[in-house]
Amino acid sequence: MPDWTYHPLRGAAAAVLGERRSQRTALRLLASIGSRPAGARLIARGFGHRHPPQRLAGETAGVPLTVRLGISVPPSLAHDTIRAMPPLGAGVVEVSPVSAADVETVREAAAGRSIPVVVRARDVETEAALEPHVDGFTGDDARHLVRVSDPSVTAAAAALADPDTVVLARPEVLVEAGPGWFARVTEAATPTAPAPRLRDLGRAPRRWPAWWWALLVGLGMTGAGLGAAVITLGPVLLWYDRDYLGMTLHQLHAANHHLVHFLQHDRITMAGTMVAIGALYTGLAVGGIRRGWPWAREVYLISGAIGFPTLFYFLATGFVEPLHTATALVLFPMYLAAVRRTPHAPRWRLASEGPEPERRRALVGQLLLIVTGAGLFVGGAVISVVGLTGVFVPSDLTFLGTSTPMLEAVNPRLVPFVAHDRAGFGGALMSAAVAITLLSAWGWRRGESWVFWTLAAAATAGFLPAVVVHGAIHYTDFLHLAPVYLGIALTGTGLLLARPYLCAEVATGPTD
């Protein structure tokens, strides 16, 4: 479980199960998932998102480590810890202290391990019994072995600055700080360089960095969305719309007095979602990819991989919109240029640790944003399915005061025309929702103010036009708009809780 579920829900879990039992349950859950290859990848990539630098590699007790960061636990916790810690970012598990009575427990715990296991034994007989089953032994006088009880990320990162030092957290550190402690220490101990500037681009497009192409796609999506909004609020239909339908705007209005407004409401929400995607991509480009965050490229990649293929919804609707197609054809090569390269070396700057209550409130806000993003994705999927099948929901037909057969009787191309708009909106909403969900899950760090403003801009662009256009055309069915109202409430609350944390001042130092 990531920190954004561990901390917000730990109080409820402790109230139900008891504090001690809830902690053991959390550890066993992580061990159960992390002991399976697919589960370990899910935790490491989906939650921890670890990319430790080479300088954090080292060794202890003659055992090579990929990262000089681990945990020291008693024998009673060894089995679950050895299985739970590798995906979270630990590089070693120390079992300490171990007596002769604990030999069998440690032997069973170390079997099938995927992480180095070292032991601090009470006597030489215990060492001899465990020597074939563990990777090494430590002692009370082990040089450069620091066991910490303080959950301070800054202190642990400072200790790792010595290339010979191995930092071992005691169990209370993870209980207090959460499972994301290893990843936060690793990032804080990663050396960084200054972020590239616009004037460093040069004039040769072949040498333009990935973040610049990503920014162009974001600006292109924003421009396309604003252009779609201008068309929707102006002529509504372009020449190819009229050619496909064989009807003018006045004829549509004569066929059904609410039909033009309904088309506007579909298209303005689509335009707002396009601007929201543009805001998300712009933020990811400038704040994330430019500064070397590996997860920012992956957010961008996954969102685009969902959004661009929705162009082929026309195979089901039968209506090919030239401007939609042209926009996709222009932006797609830029998208490929943005994601084909791995990010630069680390170029981020981290804010110093702030008050722990501030972080805890921000984690609640993070959970609310992730829930909102997941809900938007489900909503987008449902809208896509509806657009590709039934096209209308009951509240739509109530607003129109008609039925699907009656609309088909007016013009057999009218329903496929609406279906194109609706399905396209659903696809765009899924693309935006994935970016919101993953940006919220992976980008929550103190001082990353661009994350706050990116999400705030995307929420404003996505929610505000939807509310305004529904009110303007008097399509105010509460159940129809309830998801929008809920999304606004969750997003607003989440951003308010997280603002002091995300917008904290970034410390400057020699790595800037």
Side-chain angles (χ1 to χ4, degrees):
M1 57 186 63
D3 284 356
W4 47 265
T5 58
Y6 174 77
H7 283 298
L9 302 180
R10 64 182 293 195
V16 174
L17 300 175
E19 185 173 357
R20 184 72 173 173
R21 185 177 296 177
S22 66
Q23 293 170 2
R24 291 302 301 265
T25 300
L27 178 61
R28 286 169 182 161
L29 177 62
L30 285 170
S32 177
I33 298 173
S35 62
R36 295 168 173 80
R41 287 193 296 270
L42 173 65
I43 295 173
R45 302 286 294 174
F47 296 152
H49 224 85
R50 298 181 293 104
H51 300 271
Q54 182 61 36
R55 66 166 284 179
L56 292 187
E59 62 91 24
T60 185
V63 181
L65 308 176
T66 57
V67 58
R68 293 176 285 110
L69 189 62
I71 187 169
S72 179
V73 296
S76 60
L77 298 178
H79 183 274
D80 290 332
T81 301
I82 289 169
R83 283 148 185 79
M85 292 302 110
L88 296 179
V92 61
V93 173
E94 179 192 56
V95 187
S96 167
V98 178
S99 64
D102 302 313
V103 168
E104 188 60 31
T105 299
V106 175
R107 183 184 301 164
E108 292 178 358
R113 62 193 176 278
S114 60
I115 186 174
V117 174
V118 296
V119 166
R120 182 161 67 95
R122 291 186 181 275
D123 50 60
V124 293
E125 290 79 9
T126 302
E127 279 194 18
L130 284 173
E131 186 172 4
H133 306 285
V134 299
D135 299 291
F137 297 92
T138 59
D140 293 328
D141 58 346
R143 294 184 59 199
H144 303 294
L145 194 61
V146 179
R147 299 178 181 89
V148 298
S149 300
D150 181 359
S152 170
V153 169
T154 303
L160 289 172
D162 181 348
D164 295 323
T165 296
V166 177
V167 175
L168 298 177
R170 299 190 187 278
E172 57 266 28
V173 170
L174 262 64
V175 170
E176 179 65 21
W181 186 80
F182 293 113
R184 292 193 290 133
V185 172
T186 298
E187 287 179 358
T190 299
T192 65
R197 296 163 295 183
L198 190 61
R199 64 187 181 197
D200 299 331
L201 287 176
R203 296 184 179 181
R206 291 183 180 180
R207 297 182 179 180
W208 285 351
W211 73 267
W212 178 247
W213 291 111
L215 174 60
L216 291 179
V217 176
L219 296 177
M221 285 296 297
T222 301
L226 293 174
V230 169
I231 294 169
T232 302
L233 297 174
V236 183
L237 300 181
L238 293 178
W239 73 94
Y240 54 78
D241 296 321
R242 295 191 294 269
D243 290 344
Y244 177 78
L245 288 172
M247 298 178 72
T248 65
L249 200 64
H250 294 296
Q251 289 172 323
L252 283 175
H253 185 72
N256 185 297
H257 292 307
H258 297 293
L259 190 53
V260 174
H261 285 160
F262 185 82
L263 292 175
Q264 285 181 308
H265 121 278
D266 259 0
R267 292 191 163 192
I268 202 69
T269 50
M270 172 66 168
T273 304
M274 291 172 66
V275 174
I277 294 173
L280 290 162
Y281 286 6
T282 299
L284 285 166
V286 177
I289 299 174
R290 182 178 71 95
R291 294 168 61 215
W293 287 114
W295 54 263
R297 171 185 174 271
E298 294 177 23
V299 174
Y300 198 97
L301 171 64
I302 296 170
S303 175
I306 290 173
F308 278 105
T310 61
L311 172 67
F312 295 100
Y313 279 172
F314 75 84
L315 296 174
T317 64
F319 175 51
V320 180
E321 186 179 25
L323 279 183
H324 183 181
T325 303
T327 300
L329 291 178
V330 169
L331 296 181
F332 186 64
M334 299 181 190
Y335 164 77
L336 292 179
V339 300
R340 74 182 180 88
R341 301 173 186 169
T342 56
H344 295 288
R347 297 172 184 267
W348 59 75
R349 293 187 302 167
L350 293 177
S352 58
E353 286 186 276
E356 186 62 15
E358 177 185 88
R359 186 176 81 94
R360 300 287 179 89
R361 288 191 294 271
L363 289 173
V364 176
Q366 183 181 16
L367 177 59
L368 294 178
L369 264 295
I370 292 171
V371 169
T372 300
L376 289 173
F377 183 83
V378 172
V382 170
I383 292 170
S384 291
V385 171
V386 170
L388 296 173
T389 55
V391 183
F392 300 102
V393 296
S395 60
D396 294 335
L397 298 175
T398 300
F399 172 74
L400 291 169
T402 187
S403 64
T404 302
M406 291 176 65
L407 291 173
E408 291 173 337
V410 171
N411 185 334
R413 289 189 168 185
L414 189 55
V415 173
F417 183 77
V418 175
H420 169 271
D421 288 349
R422 179 140 296 186
F425 167 55
L429 186 58
M430 286 193 295
S431 179
V434 165
I436 291 168
T437 303
L438 297 182
L439 174 58
S440 300
W442 295 342
W444 229 249
R445 289 163 181 81
R446 192 167 191 269
E448 296 295 292
S449 58
W450 70 269
V451 174
F452 175 86
W453 293 113
T454 297
L455 290 170
T460 302
F463 288 128
L464 185 61
V467 172
V468 171
V469 73
H470 279 84
I473 68 174
H474 305 294
Y475 185 179
T476 55
D477 181 89
F478 179 78
L479 290 179
H480 181 73
L481 289 171
V484 178
Y485 297 145
L486 180 60
I488 292 173
L490 292 177
T491 302
T493 304
L495 289 176
L496 284 174
L497 289 171
R499 189 178 189 280
Y501 179 78
L502 293 177
C503 296
E505 184 178 353
V506 176
T508 57
T511 61
D512 296 335

